[in-house]
Amino acid sequence: MALHMSTILSKSSSEILSHLSRIRSSFSSQITFFALSVSSSHDASEVSSLVSHLTSLTEQSVGCLSSQLDNGMLSREGAFSCSVAVFDKSSATPFRSTVPGRQAAQVGRWHSNRRSDDNGRADAPSHRNGLHWDDVWAKNSREYALPPEIQSLQRDDLDTVIYLSDGSPEGLSNALHTLPVATSIGMIGASTPFITGRPYTLFRGNSIYSSGAVGLCLSSPSPSRSHLAFPGLQALTPPMIVTESEGNLIHSLDNTNPTRLLLAAIERAQNGLEEQEASTKAEWISKEDQFYVATLSALSNEPQQICRITSGDPSRGTLALEGDFAPSKGAPVRVYQQLANTHSSLLSQDASTQGESAISRTRFTLSLAVSPPEAANMSPSVTSDDTTIVLEDTFLAATENGLLIDRYKWQLGTFRERPWLCRVPGAVMNMCWG
């Protein structure tokens, strides 16, 4: 399965090139999965050289330009970050997807036409109002065929799919949901119009794409393990049951007005700080704070799917959630708060071991995070100097655009997770192979 993983952060492109040369000398006949973070301030020739080396590192490769990693040792603005995972070609199959996603919003038009991009990828038609979302999801799963490379594989043997996508991953995500026993994790690439002139920059071999997706299908005799962590979230309410929901709206929690429940929870939390200094209390909540509704795991009571609250109506009670669907009737949920000044570390102890201690004992960890995380609390395998940090056995990549998550039910009891977009700042998905 995984033969090598490493992440290097450096202000010197030559240091990264030297690191890549060592990987090539050992694994040139295998398959590479990579993420490269650059900025508009970097010299174009340096970026071109790094891309050239990454795309020719092994016989086959897939990758993307990703968001920058915050860290406590290097200035974020002057550093490249490059993450490389090498997989055995006998258990990894690269693929390229042009499965259509959601239709882009057409502002100021009475109607919209199907839009085709530079690779002939047309967006999917929108769905009419009034349909039950579970029916729509099932329809989408049937509608979109899997990429050809995946269709030729034995589906029951596929353990994990990791992919890198543009901003419309819904069609591919729905199609991957039809795989019977695979966990699928997708990262939306960084927005790169000011770096490459493309909305997204994806790679498969020597080809560069502005849209669609690239990824790897992985088979293994022993399943991978995953854990999704949300560092920095604070629980505001006890667990509750959704008693009425529709689309992306929650109408009732425990047969009570959900917006008033949220406001009451905020008030209780503030009242609990009355003994503290006035300045501390004033900073506890601000208009920049975010509030979320999380569906809870029946096994551990931990958050397993989480959506931001976008609005609430105290008179009607309805809470509107970001995304397409709210937790269904009967689902256990909890409301969480994230402070505006919360900073989390991608390699913090909580992010790597919370909920499943076995993850910290595995050899290789692939971590994908929402928004540029800090990497101040490094693992013991880090070596660093004034210009370079190297993390062995670890693949780190970040995105400001979100993660697509679809975990197989063996990790969640009898629950089969439907694909969802995680956009909680600081959220970390760890995938591990031992």
Side-chain angles (χ1 to χ4, degrees):
M1 180 68 80
L3 303 176
H4 168 89
M5 288 188 185
S6 61
T7 296
I8 179 169
L9 296 86
S10 182
K11 295 181 180 179
S12 168
S13 62
S14 62
E15 288 285 342
I16 298 179
L17 293 174
S18 177
H19 181 77
L20 296 179
S21 295
R22 291 191 291 272
I23 296 175
R24 178 187 284 119
S25 65
S26 300
F27 303 106
S28 60
S29 63
Q30 305 302 333
I31 296 175
T32 303
F33 184 84
F34 70 86
L36 175 66
S37 170
V38 300
S39 73
S40 56
S41 64
H42 287 130
D43 183 85
S45 63
E46 288 185 294
V47 175
S48 178
S49 180
L50 287 171
V51 168
S52 177
H53 277 72
L54 283 164
T55 54
S56 62
L57 196 61
T58 58
E59 285 186 354
Q60 300 186 70
S61 64
V62 296
C64 77
L65 294 189
S66 59
S67 299
Q68 290 186 306
L69 293 170
D70 286 328
N71 61 84
M73 300 179 186
L74 296 176
S75 168
R76 181 177 129 182
E77 272 308 321
F80 298 95
S81 67
C82 178
S83 298
V84 176
V86 180
F87 292 92
D88 190 326
K89 64 181 180 181
S90 66
S91 60
T93 301
F95 67 88
R96 158 77 177 143
S97 171
T98 57
V99 178
R102 177 173 300 143
Q103 186 176 27
Q106 304 290 316
V107 179
R109 298 187 184 182
W110 289 102
H111 61 85
S112 59
N113 298 318
R114 291 172 64 86
R115 175 180 60 84
S116 297
D117 66 6
D118 58 327
N119 293 288
R121 179 175 179 270
D123 285 329
S126 59
H127 299 282
R128 296 179 180 178
N129 295 329
L131 291 177
H132 191 278
W133 181 251
D134 287 336
D135 295 334
V136 173
W137 203 273
K139 178 177 182 292
N140 283 345
S141 296
R142 295 191 300 270
E143 227 172 50
Y144 301 129
L146 290 163
E149 300 93 331
I150 302 179
Q151 292 183 35
S152 64
L153 300 175
Q154 182 60 43
R155 297 188 181 189
D156 290 341
D157 293 338
L158 298 180
D159 169 68
T160 309
V161 181
I162 51 176
Y163 62 98
L164 307 163
S165 175
D166 67 1
S168 298
E170 299 83 11
L172 175 61
S173 181
N174 292 344
L176 292 173
H177 189 61
T178 64
L179 297 175
V181 294
T183 289
S184 301
I185 305 298
M187 185 178 83
I188 300 177
S191 303
T192 59
F194 300 108
I195 299 173
T196 64
R198 299 170 180 265
Y200 304 91
T201 306
L202 310 172
F203 306 94
R204 182 180 177 186
N206 293 322
S207 299
I208 306 176
Y209 302 100
S210 301
S211 62
V214 295
L216 294 180
C217 286
L218 306 173
S219 58
S220 173
S222 59
S224 62
R225 283 162 286 177
S226 68
H227 178 67
L228 180 61
F230 303 98
L233 288 188
Q234 301 177 2
L236 275 182
T237 68
M240 300 174 288
I241 299 297
V242 175
T243 44
E244 186 180 356
S245 67
E246 178 187 12
N248 68 328
L249 305 176
I250 296 178
H251 297 303
S252 176
L253 290 173
D254 286 346
N255 292 309
T256 303
N257 182 313
T259 300
R260 291 181 181 175
L261 284 175
L262 172 60
L263 294 175
I266 294 173
E267 184 177 359
R268 286 195 301 271
Q270 287 181 310
N271 289 340
L273 298 177
E274 286 183 349
E275 301 301 322
Q276 299 184 29
E277 295 181 3
S279 61
T280 302
K281 180 180 177 181
E283 292 173 359
W284 187 84
I285 184 170
S286 71
K287 62 182 181 180
E288 286 81 23
D289 291 353
Q290 301 291 341
F291 298 89
Y292 298 87
V293 170
T295 305
L296 302 178
S297 166
L299 299 179
S300 64
N301 229 26
E302 292 183 356
Q304 63 183 19
Q305 290 188 353
I306 186 164
C307 295
R308 184 172 67 90
I309 299 173
T310 58
S311 64
D313 186 334
S315 59
R316 296 184 179 181
T318 299
L319 289 177
L321 305 185
E322 183 178 55
D324 297 306
F325 59 86
S328 57
K329 182 178 179 180
V333 299
R334 197 169 195 171
V335 176
Y336 289 82
Q337 177 189 14
Q338 186 176 66
L339 303 182
N341 60 357
T342 296
H343 298 287
S344 61
S345 169
L346 181 56
L347 287 184
S348 67
Q349 189 72 7
D350 288 341
S352 62
T353 62
Q354 180 184 2
E356 191 175 340
S357 61
I359 285 180
S360 64
R361 299 194 299 269
T362 58
R363 174 169 169 72
F364 296 114
T365 300
L366 184 146
S367 298
L368 304 177
V370 180
S371 79
E374 290 183 340
N377 298 325
M378 296 291 183
S379 68
S381 60
V382 175
T383 59
S384 67
D385 56 32
D386 291 339
T387 61
T388 302
I389 299 170
V390 179
L391 296 88
E392 299 293 349
D393 300 335
T394 303
F395 180 107
L396 306 180
T399 175
E400 72 271 25
N401 294 317
L403 305 175
L404 265 295
I405 299 172
D406 180 7
R407 289 167 289 184
Y408 176 54
K409 63 184 179 182
W410 74 267
Q411 297 168 309
L412 301 168
T414 59
F415 177 76
R416 174 61 198 247
E417 186 170 43
R418 58 184 169 185
W420 64 288
L421 178 64
C422 177
R423 299 187 64 185
V424 182
V428 182
M429 170 58 75
N430 290 312
M431 298 290 298
C432 299
W433 295 267

